[in-house]
């Protein structure tokens, strides 16, 4: 299942960078962003809820949607794919994880060097001034308001049309350009600017390996695609390369 060429490449690799997306958490039971929504939220398109405009139009609706997603994410655990990535970090001299996910499953699995592109589902900040608020559960209101400035509280995630945290993409581009191998795992490669990161690596001639059960816009351009679930492919990869 894992080609010898990849095994040899990884055995010699000193620097490995990984970009992950919602697919990595799918086997933990977190619905991917582009999966159809179920239950209460079936009638909404996530793309119509994850915007500042949607929040301003109906803060209660968007707050409740994120509360539902946070509750879901609180109930799940890392899967073998998350653990395999944490293991790889211990085995490769320089290993960087860049994630578009807003859950904390990479952290829970033990990964250390994580850069979040799209924020953190468990953080709460205010809309106007980005004051980070820890005790929001004790505050009244749906959503509550900021104790410092009175503006609505919102999740500390990046919405469509908003800027990513400062410098994260520049940092990622620097890291992938200096890498021996880059992985793109469980992401549809549709959302910019994150999707540009593996493309930077491809353009720099770095071998990019995609792990995804489905084809994406970068599939034709990567050095190798491993068609399968990350929770199955990644443990098999670690076993094949390092025998653990
Ligand atoms: P998507 O929901 O767009 O894509 C999930 C990808 O995971 C798809 O390509 C699936 O084929 C793949 N997949 C599904 N199950 C898998 C499995 N078990 N193992 C590996 N891959 C699997 O999620 P993202 O690409 O992460 O941003 O979406 C990127 C961003 O779009 C999200 O971070 C979110 C959304 O807009 C913001 O909210 C800003």
């Amino acid at each position: 299942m894992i080609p010898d060429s990849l095994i040899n490449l990884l055995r010699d690799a000193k620097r490995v960078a990984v970009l992950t997306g919602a697919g990595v958490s799918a086997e933990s039971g977190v619905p991917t962003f582009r999966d159809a929504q179920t239950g209460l939220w079936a009638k909404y398109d996530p793309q119509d809820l994850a915007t500042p405009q949607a929040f301003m139009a109906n803060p209660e609706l968007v707050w409740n949607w994120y509360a539902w997603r946070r509750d879901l994410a609180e109930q799940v655990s890392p899967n073998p794919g998350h653990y395999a990535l944490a293991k790889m970090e211990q085995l490769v001299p320089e290993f960087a994880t860049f994630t578009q996910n807003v859950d904390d499953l990479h952290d829970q699995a033990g990964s250390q060097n994580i850069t979040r592109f799209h924020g953190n589902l468990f953080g709460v900040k205010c809309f106007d001034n980005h004051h980070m608020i820890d005790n929001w559960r004790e505050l009244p209101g749906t959503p509550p308001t900021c104790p410092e400035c009175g503006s609505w509280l919102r999740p500390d995630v990046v919405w469509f049309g908003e800027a990513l945290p400062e410098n994260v993409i520049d940092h990622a581009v620097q890291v992938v350009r200096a890498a021996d191998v880059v992985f793109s795992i469980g992401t549809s490669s549709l959302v910019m600017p994150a999707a540009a990161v593996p493309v930077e690596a491809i353009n720099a001639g770095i071998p990019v390996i995609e792990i995804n059960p489905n084809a994406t816009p970068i599939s034709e351009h990567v050095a190798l695609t491993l068609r399968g679930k990350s929770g199955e492919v990644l443990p098999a990869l670690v076993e094949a390369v390092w025998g653990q």
Side-chain angles (χ1 to χ4, degrees):
M1 180 183 176
I2 311 292
D4 285 346
S5 55
L6 177 58
I7 295 176
N8 293 331
L9 191 64
L10 278 172
R11 274 197 190 132
D12 294 339
K14 303 277 181 291
R15 294 171 177 180
V16 174
V18 170
L19 172 68
T20 68
V24 166
S25 296
E27 287 155 273
S28 293
V30 182
T32 66
F33 207 79
R34 283 167 181 77
D35 275 347
Q37 299 212 92
T38 51
L40 265 184
W41 299 100
K43 62 181 173 183
Y44 296 101
D45 181 341
Q47 215 132 319
D48 295 335
L49 293 172
T51 69
Q53 292 78 10
F55 181 75
M56 286 317 284
N58 194 339
E60 185 175 356
L61 176 81
V62 173
W63 176 267
N64 282 339
W65 183 56
Y66 276 95
W68 172 77
R69 294 183 64 198
R70 190 168 48 231
D71 288 349
L72 264 185
E74 258 166 9
Q75 290 163 28
V76 300
S77 307
N79 66 58
H82 296 106
Y83 287 115
L85 288 172
K87 187 87 214 172
M88 281 169 79
E89 185 170 347
Q90 291 170 3
L91 295 162
V92 174
E94 286 181 41
F95 191 92
T97 301
F98 297 95
T99 189
Q100 298 164 84
N101 298 344
V102 293
D103 61 44
D104 62 352
L105 296 178
H106 286 305
D107 311 63
Q108 279 193 45
S111 290
Q112 301 286 321
N113 185 16
I114 305 169
T115 304
R116 291 174 167 277
F117 284 169
H118 293 163
N120 180 352
L121 186 56
F122 298 100
V124 168
K125 64 183 180 184
C126 74
F127 189 83
D128 286 350
N129 295 306
H130 300 241
H131 294 128
M132 293 300 300
I133 306 298
D134 290 333
N135 67 336
W136 56 271
R137 285 179 199 271
E138 296 151 27
L139 303 173
T142 312
T145 50
C146 178
E148 291 183 48
C149 68
S151 80
W152 297 119
L153 297 189
R154 54 162 284 180
D156 182 24
V157 299
V158 176
W159 281 330
F160 290 101
E162 291 185 323
L164 270 58
E166 218 175 309
N167 298 331
V168 288
I169 294 292
D170 289 351
H171 172 55
V173 167
Q174 253 179 10
V175 170
V176 300
R177 282 198 185 139
D180 300 311
V181 186
V182 171
F183 285 88
S184 174
I185 310 174
T187 174
S188 56
S189 296
L190 290 173
V191 176
M192 295 297 276
V197 170
V199 175
E200 287 284 344
I202 293 168
N203 291 343
I206 316 284
V208 175
I209 320 296
E210 181 175 59
I211 301 177
N212 197 314
N214 301 303
T216 76
I218 67 165
S219 298
E220 281 180 23
H221 308 284
V222 297
L224 177 70
T225 293
L226 299 173
R227 283 268 168 266
K229 297 179 173 181
S230 50
E232 294 167 6
V233 174
L234 283 167
L237 183 71
V238 172
E239 164 72 31
V241 178
W242 293 280
Q244 2 202 329

